Amino acid sequence: MTRSVESVLFGQLGPRGRARMRWWTAGSAVLVLGLVAAALAQLGHTGQLDRDRWSPLLTWGTQHYYLQGLANTLKIGLTGAALSLVAGTLAGLGRLSPRRWISLPSAAGIEFIRSIPLILIVYFFMLGLPEVGVRVPTFWQLGIPVVLHAGAVFAEIVRAGVRSVGRGQYDAAIALGLRRGTAMRLVVLPQALRILRPALITQLVRALKESSLGYIVGYPELMSDSRVLSQFSGNLLQTYVITGVYFVVLNFLLSGAATLVDRGAGPGARGRRRRPGPGLTTESVPRPLPQKAA
Amino acid sequence: MKLLLTHLAPLAGGLLKTLELTALAFPLAVVLGTLLGVCRVGPLPPLRAAGALYVHLVRNSPLFLVLFMMVFALPYAGVRVPLFWSSVIGLALYFGSYVCETFRSGVHSIPVGEIEAAQAIGLGFRGVLRTVVLPQAFRAMVQPLGNVCINVALASALATAFGVLDLTGQARAFNAQYAQPIASFVAAGIGYLLVTLTVGAATGLIERKVRILR
């Protein structure tokens, strides 16, 4: 049983403290509900909660359109996440390379991309490159920036992961006669990537959120499709609230999965869990003899 | 390149706009995030639930959608805010949730034993909070808050999509006018690099200043 900071801070209240806490709880509940009620009242006052503003959006035809957008969002998200994993791993390992001519450009590239906004890269591919005669398909106008940006972030994650595996593992592999690349590929990287499993899902969530810039390049993902819907129905607020619900539910489920993987309950975690070597099992450690009650 | 140097003024103006957005949105996000953080680690279930709901909603939606709502959807609900300020508020609302999580992990980074020790030597609730919890929590927050500040500066570029002429917006305009994509976008990139390097250096400096030597 782990004790949290909160339980220790607020755990030991006397009867008077508990009574006071009940009042505060009731008061804060009133405050929260009051804020929600005020927001709803304002929306109702401006007619945004009217049934006929929402009902056209909940028909199957509209939802089908949303789902098409969702499919494209997933397409960008999955492509972006998958390619960024590859690019990020390569760039991260490049930065760790002992060869200067690999590590310096990798580090410079990662740092530069990490410190400029995604939308700037999007504009570069969408508005900049056509000026010099290079035209990229719409999907990649968004896809390449997402891969670059998410890849640069992942490169740093990989670097941290490789560092956390520890130099000892690497040195041991070298001592066994493995080459540098082989030691990295066979010993360090598999362990690092295992630590990074939750980060893979975070990476997907990041790419999914970034895919909303499809609105700017005109790729028909959730945000762009919502523009069409809102222009068609005239109910902008309602349309985008539903868009938000799609994003939140999708990402919430993925984040939940990330937490599960993090706790080691993810698929395959049980079977592949490393067992301690024979010399380290608790059974072989001599236990103190149980003391007899006097 | 020469063209760029003679037209540096608009780009500098854009950089200033980016800095304004950041300088207004980041403190607002810190205030909002700290309030949310207090709600989330506090003992009152309604506030804890409200804080958790807010953080989950905001962190799982794209910033672009949040800004879009502030700029285009809010007027339908009868709330009219000038474009610049709706961008600032959108950024503050979004990054408030990140500050909240920073605050929470700052508080959680304190060993429970220290709090128990403080209680054992007779410090009351306020004493524990003031002398043990908050000083350490705030120190643990310096680095993550610096990162949030950098992210606010970078994310403020999204305001361009709504017509705010910040650094990205000026780069886009420059490219549209002179058809110099490499020069204009790389110049803007260097502008952002300057901002992030400055904030990063400042964070490092502050962290070294407030560090507790053990």
Side-chain angles (χ1 to χ4, degrees):
Chain A
M1 181 75 201
T2 53
R3 293 158 309 158
S4 67
V5 171
E6 289 103 316
S7 70
V8 174
L9 260 182
F10 307 112
Q12 303 98 333
L13 288 173
R16 266 173 65 195
R18 275 202 298 271
R20 209 167 47 198
M21 201 58 83
R22 273 197 291 277
W23 280 108
W24 278 102
T25 304
S28 63
V30 169
L31 179 75
V32 170
L33 292 178
L35 282 174
V36 173
L40 287 178
Q42 176 66 24
L43 284 171
H45 179 67
T46 48
Q48 297 301 317
L49 294 179
D50 295 353
R51 179 185 285 265
D52 56 342
R53 280 188 182 272
W54 291 90
S55 52
L57 292 169
L58 301 174
T59 58
W60 169 241
T62 318
Q63 290 302 315
H64 185 69
Y65 200 68
Y66 271 118
L67 288 174
Q68 281 175 347
L70 182 69
N72 281 332
T73 291
L74 283 172
K75 211 192 265 174
I76 285 271
L78 287 170
T79 315
L83 291 180
S84 79
L85 293 185
V86 179
T89 308
L90 288 178
L93 291 181
R95 192 171 185 178
L96 287 164
S97 164
R99 296 192 191 87
R100 271 283 168 89
W101 61 273
I102 299 179
S103 69
L104 277 183
S106 309
I110 291 169
E111 288 303 324
F112 185 67
I113 290 176
R114 255 161 47 94
S115 46
I116 57 178
L118 175 70
I119 188 174
L120 189 72
I121 317 178
V122 171
Y123 278 135
F124 180 73
F125 278 92
M126 173 189 159
L127 303 171
L129 284 183
E131 300 276 13
V132 290
V134 182
R135 215 165 266 285
V136 188
T138 314
F139 181 84
W140 292 109
Q141 282 176 8
L142 178 61
I144 297 175
V146 167
V147 169
L148 287 177
H149 212 244
V153 175
F154 192 67
E156 288 303 276
I157 301 176
V158 167
R159 194 161 71 111
V162 168
R163 284 259 170 86
S164 74
V165 169
R167 212 176 154 76
Q169 295 276 329
Y170 180 75
D171 286 345
I174 296 292
L176 284 173
L178 269 65
R179 289 161 176 275
R180 277 200 307 244
T182 322
M184 191 57 92
R185 193 162 48 84
L186 292 182
V187 179
V188 178
L189 209 52
Q191 298 185 61
L193 288 181
R194 184 165 305 172
I195 299 172
L196 296 180
R197 269 186 316 180
L200 304 184
I201 296 177
T202 319
Q203 198 70 8
L204 180 57
V205 171
R206 178 192 309 280
L208 284 174
K209 282 163 74 173
E210 289 181 339
S211 75
S212 59
L213 290 187
Y215 185 90
I216 292 169
V217 301
Y219 181 72
E221 45 69 63
L222 265 175
M223 280 297 280
S224 310
D225 275 6
S226 309
R227 167 162 52 187
V228 179
L229 281 176
S230 71
Q231 281 165 357
F232 182 66
S233 67
N235 301 335
L236 185 135
L237 189 141
Q238 291 77 4
T239 309
Y240 280 94
V241 166
I242 295 179
T243 313
V245 170
Y246 269 103
F247 269 115
V248 169
V249 169
L250 179 65
N251 289 332
F252 185 77
L253 291 178
L254 285 172
S255 309
T259 321
L260 278 183
V261 172
D262 200 12
R263 288 199 195 123
R270 181 160 300 176
R272 277 186 278 128
R273 183 167 293 157
R274 267 176 34 203
R275 299 198 183 85
L280 283 172
T281 49
T282 42
E283 271 67 37
S284 65
V285 176
R287 277 187 205 168
L289 290 171
Q291 304 221 324
K292 269 190 182 148
Chain B
M1 204 63 225
K2 207 169 171 187
L3 196 66
L4 191 69
L5 287 177
T6 50
H7 294 82
L8 213 53
L11 280 177
L15 181 61
L16 201 64
K17 200 62 140 188
T18 294
L19 290 177
E20 277 174 33
L21 280 170
T22 313
L24 290 168
F26 178 61
L28 280 175
V30 170
V31 172
L32 174 70
T34 310
L35 281 176
L36 282 169
V38 170
C39 286
R40 282 204 79 179
V41 298
L44 303 174
L47 293 184
R48 288 178 74 103
L53 182 68
Y54 180 89
V55 169
H56 281 304
L57 278 183
V58 170
R59 280 180 63 132
N60 284 319
S61 39
L63 171 63
F64 188 61
L65 181 64
V66 174
L67 285 176
F68 191 92
M69 286 296 213
M70 295 318 285
V71 176
F72 292 127
L74 219 50
Y76 284 90
V79 184
R80 278 175 200 286
V81 188
L83 175 64
F84 178 79
W85 284 101
S86 52
S87 310
V88 169
I89 295 169
L91 285 168
L93 288 178
Y94 185 77
F95 284 100
S97 69
Y98 284 82
V99 174
C100 168
E101 293 307 274
T102 303
F103 181 85
R104 212 160 70 103
S105 60
V107 168
H108 284 171
S109 72
I110 298 159
V112 177
E114 287 192 17
I115 300 173
E116 287 175 329
Q119 287 170 340
I121 59 170
L123 279 180
F125 177 69
R126 282 191 196 147
V128 174
L129 218 54
R130 220 189 52 233
T131 58
V132 178
V133 177
L134 289 183
Q136 297 194 70
F138 282 135
R139 281 178 174 84
M141 281 171 70
V142 171
Q143 193 72 47
L145 275 186
N147 289 339
V148 172
C149 185
I150 288 173
N151 282 333
V152 172
L154 295 184
S156 71
L158 279 178
T160 301
F162 305 105
V164 177
L165 275 179
D166 68 339
L167 188 50
T168 303
Q170 292 287 3
R172 188 178 65 165
F174 187 87
N175 172 59
Q177 200 168 356
Y178 300 104
Q180 296 275 351
I182 312 282
S184 47
F185 287 109
V186 168
I190 291 172
Y192 283 106
L193 198 61
L194 286 179
V195 176
T196 54
L197 287 179
T198 314
V199 176
T203 316
L205 208 66
I206 295 171
E207 177 146 66
R208 249 169 285 138
K209 273 264 159 63
V210 299
R211 182 188 294 159
I212 308 171
L213 295 171
R214 289 174 205 273

